Amino acid sequence: VAITYDYKDADLFNTNEESLKIYWFNSGLNLWEALPSIVDTANKKVTAQTTHFSQFALMGEVKDLIPPATDVIVFGDKGEDNWYRSDVSVELQGNDNEGGVGLLYTLYTLNNSDWFEYKDPIIFSSEGAHSLTYQSFDKADNREERKNVGFTIDKTPPEAEIKFNPTTLNLDIVGIDSSGSASVTTESIGRDKKIVVTDQAGNMLEIMGKDKEKGRSAKITI
């Protein structure tokens, strides 16, 4: 018996048309088995021969089973690790796999709030920690796993605290910053000294001073 299936009204957006075959359900093995089939792509019909009656279905290979991927590009004046000392711009570039059916959209949420469709670069200007979660979808409804990018903005330079140490009879210079960490380096320039306080974002405070004097009348001129 010849079986012909007309598929002109079928949605083959994510199906390889040339792979279409008529299958019959083998109840003994509880699986679908393919029949040798002829695909007429011009008339949108598939024909196969069978020697028995059963359940029949038209099936084909799925084109795209691979989720898309998102490239994250962060622009800003970068310090150490994920610290920035300027406004930050984040671009999300969603890409479907080669041979895929195409990207549908990319979604993102800021600090676990509402989700938005990504269209333009996202600008961060306020100081403090920021968290961005993103996920891309393709037209075959494959979805990327949710991923996160985080960073901290600190535009404020650190400060220097100069205090007398009664144990060493010396002047200690300590870096103070809202980030909680600031390093202090000293460089001799002739008889002068350049004291540089740097925070994690890379903001710097430079102090030019004279050589320190130790003792109970310890002093430094800046």
Side-chain angles (χ1 to χ4, degrees):
V1 177
I3 301 176
T4 300
Y5 193 105
D6 188 329
Y7 65 89
K8 65 176 178 294
D9 295 327
D11 181 5
L12 300 181
F13 176 76
N14 193 32
T15 305
N16 184 353
E17 184 176 4
E18 296 180 353
S19 71
L20 291 174
K21 292 181 181 179
I22 294 177
Y23 287 71
W24 70 281
F25 187 71
N26 186 331
S27 58
L29 298 177
N30 196 33
L31 55 81
W32 290 92
E33 294 187 6
L35 295 172
S37 305
I38 299 174
V39 182
D40 182 356
T41 57
N43 296 304
K44 305 300 181 185
K45 292 182 179 180
V46 180
T47 303
Q49 300 286 333
T50 181
T51 58
H52 54 80
F53 292 105
S54 176
Q55 289 179 292
F56 296 92
L58 184 65
M59 302 183 189
E61 296 175 358
V62 176
K63 289 181 182 178
D64 188 359
L65 290 171
I66 302 174
T70 305
D71 294 326
V72 180
I73 303 176
V74 182
F75 297 96
D77 193 357
K78 193 173 187 302
E80 296 182 14
D81 300 325
N82 289 322
W83 287 80
Y84 290 84
R85 51 182 175 264
S86 67
D87 290 353
V88 172
S89 172
V90 178
E91 293 185 5
L92 302 177
Q93 298 181 353
N95 302 284
D96 200 16
N97 58 291
E98 184 176 354
V101 297
L103 183 75
L104 184 59
Y105 49 66
T106 299
L107 301 180
Y108 71 94
T109 177
L110 303 178
N111 301 317
N112 297 316
S113 60
D114 295 334
W115 286 85
F116 300 93
E117 181 178 352
Y118 174 80
K119 294 181 179 179
D120 299 305
I122 308 163
I123 307 299
F124 299 84
S125 58
S126 61
E127 291 189 299
H130 299 274
S131 175
L132 185 149
T133 302
Y134 59 92
Q135 184 178 29
S136 287
F137 299 76
D138 67 15
K139 295 177 182 178
D141 201 30
N142 298 309
R143 59 188 63 191
E144 177 185 27
E145 289 187 9
R146 291 181 180 179
K147 297 177 182 177
N148 178 268
V149 59
F151 52 88
T152 302
I153 297 176
D154 180 5
K155 305 176 188 178
T156 306
E159 298 179 355
E161 180 182 10
I162 303 174
K163 56 186 179 180
F164 178 70
N165 187 325
T167 302
T168 62
L169 301 181
N170 201 355
L171 293 173
D172 293 338
I173 302 175
V174 180
I176 301 175
D177 188 69
S178 59
S179 67
S181 175
S183 62
V184 179
T185 60
T186 303
E187 177 186 354
S188 295
I189 303 177
R191 294 193 59 188
D192 295 335
K193 286 188 179 296
K194 182 170 74 171
I195 303 164
V196 181
V197 183
T198 308
D199 65 17
Q200 288 182 285
N203 298 303
M204 299 172 63
L205 168 67
E206 292 188 359
I207 302 173
M208 294 301 297
K210 299 293 185 181
D211 284 340
K212 293 189 300 182
E213 297 181 15
K214 297 179 62 175
R216 296 191 178 277
S217 60
K219 65 180 181 180
I220 181 173
T221 304
I222 61 174

